[in-house]
Structure formats: C-alpha cells, structure tokens
Amino acid sequence: MKKEYTVIELCEHELNGIDEKTFRRNKKMYIQKLEEKYYVAFGKRGRFTTYILEPKEKAPEQIENEAFLEIIGCDIGRKDIELMKLILKALLEKKVTPVQNELLKLALQNNFKISKSRGTIKNYMKFLRDNQIIIPPREIPVWDNAKYVKRECDPETGEIFPTYYKKLVRWVYFDYRNEGSIGYRKRLNETTQKAIHEAFKTIYKEEYVQKIVPLLKTNLSKEFISDSVSKLKMKVLQELGEAYGINACRRVEEPIINPLLSRQLKEYFGLNEEQKQRVTELDIDVSHIEVVNINRPVGISMSELEQMLEYKKLINERVQLYKEKESALPLEMYEKWHGIEFEQQLMKGITEINSSENSNDFNEANDSAVKVNEDNHVVDTCDTQDDFKKQLAAFKFKSNKTVNDGTNLMLSAFLNKEKGA
C-alpha cells in the first residue's frame, strides 16, 4: 500500500523523528536508507514536495532481521546485526568462554572483518548492557555478626549497613594458556566445572578462616584485605588447576541474558532448552521435629540445626557424584574431607557402586570425566603423602580404570589420614 508524506511527516513516521534540517543536510543518505524497504517516488502537495513510499517484498533475511530486532526491542543503529547475533548466540550456547578475547576470536573465525583489538567486542557488550539485554547480577545484602568485623552504621538513624553484598552469579571455569595477544581460554566441560566449583568453595572457605580472618581482626586497610582476598582466590584456583592437570585455572562471571528475552532468543536461534539441573534431595527423617516460628534478626549467624543441614547436604552431594558415576575427584578433595560420618556415607555409596550391575557404565563415565594419558601405571602402596600424590596422578590419567581402582585409592587416602601422613 502506497503512502505519501511531506518532509516533516516522513521524518516523524519513517526516520525515527529526526529533525527536518538533519534530513535535508543528509538527504541522499536517508533516501538510500528508505529505498532498502520502499520504492521511493516524488509527488506534489500544493507547493510542497512529497515522498511516495511503496513497500518492497521483504527478503527472508530481512524478515529474520526484523524478528531479531523485535525480540531485543531496540534500534542497533549502524552496528552489524550479524555480529550482534553471533555474540548473543555464543553467550546462550555456553560453549565459549564469555570474555572479550574469545568472542573476538569467534568473530574472526566466522569471517567478520573487525579489528583484532578488543574495542569492537567491548563496544557491543556495552551496548547489550546499556539496553538491558545483558543484565547485572542480583546482589543480596549480608550482615556479618562476627566480633572481629567492624560494623558501619548511619550516625543519624542508627541503621547498620551491610557488611558486604553477595552477587548471585554463575561462574565459568576455564583453562588459560598465554599464546600472544589473543591467548587460549578453553571453557571446561560442565562435569569438571561442577567438581572444581565445589572444591573451590570448600578449600577457599577453610583458607579464608586461616589467612583472612586474622587480618580482619587487625586495623589493616580495606584495600589491603581486598587485595589479600584476591590473591588467595587466585592461589586456590592455581592449586585446583594443578590438581586437574590443566595449564592455569581461571574463572569469570557468566553474563546474564535478560530472562524476558532469553527464551525468545533461544527459539530464534533454534537452540534446545537447557536441561534441568540435577537437584539432590536429602533423605532426612523430620517426623520428630516440631515446626516453630523463629524471628531471627538479620545478621545473626546460622543456628546449629542449619549448619548440620548444610553439612549433610554437602555429604549427600559428594556421595551422589559417585552414585551417578559423574566424577573422579582430585587430591585436594581427599585432603579436605572431615568427619567420620562423611567417610561412612562415602564408603556406603562406594559399596553400592561395587554391587551395581552397571560397573562398566561407571568405568566409561569415569574415563570421560578425566583426561586420558598413555601412562597406565598405578602404585600399589602409599605410605606418605608424596606417594599418594603420585598414585593419584597415575589414577587420573589411567585408561580402563575399574571400580576397585577408585575404591583402593580412597582407602589409601583414609589410611594416610589415620597415619597422619
């Protein structure tokens, strides 16, 4: 259907409300832009020149682009729509480490002619954040009631400010190797990521108590403590990387695609729905527990019951990894196990695996969870911690492992612990 516009009407209805003078200064450019969608002709309305627009038949590519722009709900201006799609699809697929260098490498591999500097990708990511396509993580205020924590408050109202804000983020762990300006940042598979994340939380918590808490009890500056915390996190990540046999373990926050757009974008890109995450339920008898209403002030530490439930959940999740044949854990995990109950639960889970008829399935799954190496030697005895490290390293890279291999390794760890090695 043809439509006739004066210059003022054309600017308002077809050119996003630009000023009439702007149109006249750049008339050729705007006419070319209109000709992408319309056949443009000139007419007369009294003493005014008019523009007659007749829609062209849309190409499939144009229809797809319009659908994409409708989903994200903003004008991208002169930005390359195909590069915008590539970035969003990569973030949704979760196969590439979501950092600028890796997104740049992906763009170059797909023949986008952009600068090898980080400026272009950085600009696109900023655009996505400014337009709420990528949203910031939620932050929860936390009040630490420990005696050594210096509490800050409003002198007028007496309001106690939060000790810190906890970000609700999903961490992406990757293997980093420096190969020049671009580098190598390989995203680890989901099974390894889960194991490393659980190990990181356990080890970092204990190291924090031993090394950071004493600093908090002093009058050291926040900047010094913050720097110490960063170095401690890097140290723990480095140790985990060595345990898993990768070059250098690093982690980065997973960008959060706006949930209102995420589902539509997945459908647009033809991506499969994310699998529901496995939720491990605790098998706890609560028939003897009386439900009461507890008004606990914000900032008070967890009760003994809550701490017990958290610990039981940790135990259950670790045992579940063996029951579901998903993981072979590194040395640091063995060293961090505590408590008789935990060992009993773990041994119970191992017994169930040994009695399972699906031991072959366990072997195959366990092989895929670790890196395979030609070295197939396992030390039969281990009297010291160093010997046990060698035994573990051999186990990690052994192909054709058996359930008994894993059981013997854990029994060796427990024996080490009892001997105090």
Side-chain angles (χ1 to χ4, degrees), residues 45 104 136 146 406:
R45 188 185 296 174
L104 171 61

Side-chain angles (χ1 to χ4, degrees), residues 188-199 240-246 278 317-335 337 346 350 353 361-372 388 391-407 409-410:
L188 302 177
N189 63 56
E190 289 301 314
T191 301
T192 306
Q193 291 221 27
K194 289 178 183 178
I196 289 182
H197 184 60
E198 290 300 318
L240 285 171
E242 293 174 359
Y244 277 86
I246 60 182
R278 173 176 56 84
E317 288 177 346
R318 297 286 170 78
V319 175
Q320 196 71 15
L321 287 173
Y322 282 91
K323 287 185 177 180
E324 298 191 2
K325 316 172 184 64
E326 288 189 2
S327 178
L329 304 182
L331 174 61
E332 280 75 3
M333 296 296 294
Y334 292 100
E335 293 178 340
W337 289 339
L346 187 60
I350 294 171
I353 292 174
D361 294 339
F362 173 80
N363 293 337
E364 294 175 3
N366 198 38
D367 278 339
S368 65
V370 297
K371 294 181 179 179
V372 177
F388 179 68
Q391 180 179 348
L392 177 68
F395 172 77
K396 281 170 53 185
F397 298 114
K398 179 186 177 184
S399 58
N400 301 322
K401 291 181 288 296
T402 67
V403 176
N404 288 335
D405 288 333
T407 304
L409 187 66
M410 280 178 282

Side-chain angles (χ1 to χ4, degrees), residues 3 25 46 50 71 84 96 101 205 208 211 222 378 407:
K3 294 182 181 180
R25 284 197 303 267
T50 60
I71 292 173
M84 187 80 69
V96 176
N101 286 326
K205 184 177 181 181
Y208 184 91
K211 298 180 180 179
K222 289 184 178 180
V378 177
T407 304

